[in-house]
Structures are given as C-alpha cells and as structure tokens.
Amino acid sequence: AIQMTQSPSSLSASVGDRVTITCRASQGIRNDLGWYQQKPGKAPKLLIYAASSLQSGVPSRFSGSGSGTDFTLTISSLQPEDFATYYCLQDYNYPLTFGQGTKVEIK
Amino acid sequence: EVQLVESGGGLVKPGGSLRVSCAASGFTFSSHSMNWVRQAPGKGLEWVSFISSSSSYIYYADLVKGRFTISRDNAKNSLYLQMNSLRAEDTAVYYCARDFNGIITDWGQGTLVTVSS
C-alpha cells in the first residue's frame, strides 16, 4: 500500500497568515491526490482534487500543487472558518490511503 | 443536491455482526462507484472498501478483508456494509462516500459503530 506522510501534524496560525501543508507519497502517484477539510463532528469536505484543481464552491484562497510524490496545500490568507483538520488522500490505486492529518489551530 | 444518509450503527459485542446502510439521493446512484471510510474516535480517516457502479469491482482494506462485505442495490439507491467478527478496533464513525471519476467527492454524515462488551 502507498503510504502518505503528511506534515506538520499540527500548526498554530493567526487570521491572515499563509499556511502550507505537505504530503509525501511513498511512490509516484502522478497527480492523483485530493485535499479534504474536516471540522469537529462533521464529515470531510473536498477542497482540491487532481492535486491542483479547486472543487466547485471552495474559496480561491485554497490552492494545491505537486505531482509524483510531493504535494502541497496552501491557504493564502487564513480565515476564522479555516480552523480545522486537513487530510490528503491518494486515489492513484487501492487501497486508498490518507495522510495522518494536520490540525490547524488558532494562535 | 447529493445526499448520503447512513444508518444502522450501534453497540455490538466483540465477535458480533452489524450491517450499516447508506441511502443515496440527488444523483444517479447506479452510475457511481461508492466507498466506505471510517474514523475511530479522535483519530484520522481510514478507507475501508470500494464498490463499482455495477458491483463488478470490489476492494477492501487489509484490516477488514474477509470480515466485511460491501454491496449495493441500485434499484433501492442503497449501499451496504456487512461487518462480521467485529473487534474493538473497528469502533468508528462509518462514512458512505460517493466516487466521481475516481475522486471521493461527497460524504454522508456518518454512523457510529461501537464494539464493546
């Protein structure tokens, strides 16, 4: 199974900060990667698919990049509603595998 | 609007069985592959199983292979997960999730399965 290593596991940031989260795959996965946001007690929500495509309705402050083994999710200017946990997911092959998650907290 | 509503969760003893269901609406269910994803309390997301639109392709995570069975009824717009030989480590919220061109795009609200004596 492909391992997804996500970092950091948590971070503290202020409103307006630029935030970057990374995911590394244990083997090349082309651009078959998605990013999800999850708030406490809620289902995950798709933000980015195919590594860099913004899901409909998602604010443009979210962006994704990368290909092969290294991927990045960037929030250009953190908003109060962005405090949540973020996960990457490789959909290159089965079993699908998630990163461990990054909890974004208020500084 | 895509809606996925899970049901059937509850408390079950170790070694027991449970079937969770997902009722789908707002899209052509028979045209989409589906997944089950789970999340243990306070933990991350874990993919469990996949079924293609016509049930031709089915995959499982190693941890559940041989114990869980995914199925669907396209006439009823429903997805199922039969869970046997349940263990304490299977305790989790189980999410039904729609696949769109290989991407998990939509999620239900989840149903909690607790395995405890």
Side-chain angles (χ1 to χ4, degrees):
Chain A
I2 297 172
Q3 292 185 17
M4 302 302 296
T5 303
Q6 187 173 338
S7 62
S9 56
S10 66
L11 64 91
S12 295
S14 301
V15 172
D17 283 353
R18 181 182 183 88
V19 168
T20 299
I21 299 167
T22 64
C23 239
R24 174 165 288 176
S26 59
Q27 67 181 71
I29 59 170
R30 302 181 307 198
N31 68 337
D32 295 333
L33 184 111
W35 289 98
Y36 297 82
Q37 176 193 66
Q38 187 179 34
K39 296 182 179 179
K42 300 294 187 182
K45 171 188 172 183
L46 177 65
L47 301 175
I48 301 286
Y49 64 93
S52 59
S53 296
L54 192 68
Q55 175 69 346
S56 176
V58 174
S60 59
R61 62 181 179 273
F62 291 93
S63 64
S65 64
S67 182
T69 59
D70 293 307
F71 302 87
T72 300
L73 173 70
T74 299
I75 310 172
S76 60
S77 177
L78 199 65
Q79 297 303 299
E81 59 269 29
D82 301 337
F83 292 96
T85 301
Y86 295 83
Y87 295 92
C88 62
L89 169 65
Q90 69 80 16
D91 49 48
Y92 176 75
N93 67 9
Y94 292 91
L96 303 184
T97 43
F98 289 90
Q100 303 93 320
T102 295
K103 186 173 184 179
V104 177
E105 299 175 303
I106 301 172
K107 183 183 281 185
Chain B
E1 178 194 3
V2 172
Q3 285 205 332
L4 299 167
V5 179
E6 300 92 337
S7 61
L11 176 63
V12 60
K13 288 182 168 53
S17 298
L18 197 66
R19 188 177 86 156
V20 293
S21 303
C22 172
S25 61
F27 65 101
T28 305
F29 180 73
S30 59
S31 296
H32 287 268
S33 300
M34 298 292 293
N35 293 271
W36 287 100
V37 177
R38 70 184 180 183
Q39 186 169 38
K43 303 297 184 182
L45 299 167
E46 180 182 31
W47 173 81
V48 173
S49 186
F50 164 93
I51 186 168
S52 63
S53 57
S54 60
S55 304
S56 298
Y57 298 95
I58 288 176
Y59 306 115
Y60 297 99
D62 284 347
L63 283 176
V64 308
K65 203 174 293 183
R67 300 188 299 123
F68 289 12
T69 301
I70 192 172
S71 63
R72 64 191 296 161
D73 185 335
N74 286 343
K76 293 183 177 179
N77 290 341
S78 293
L79 176 71
Y80 307 102
L81 186 68
Q82 175 68 43
M83 301 181 287
N84 298 332
S85 303
L86 282 161
R87 307 165 180 167
E89 52 267 35
D90 296 318
T91 294
V93 173
Y94 284 75
Y95 293 103
C96 160
R98 183 178 79 141
D99 184 295
F100 188 89
N101 290 339
I103 300 158
I104 292 183
T105 54
D106 304 278
W107 303 66
Q109 85 290 348
T111 188
L112 176 62
V113 172
T114 303
V115 184
S116 175
S117 54

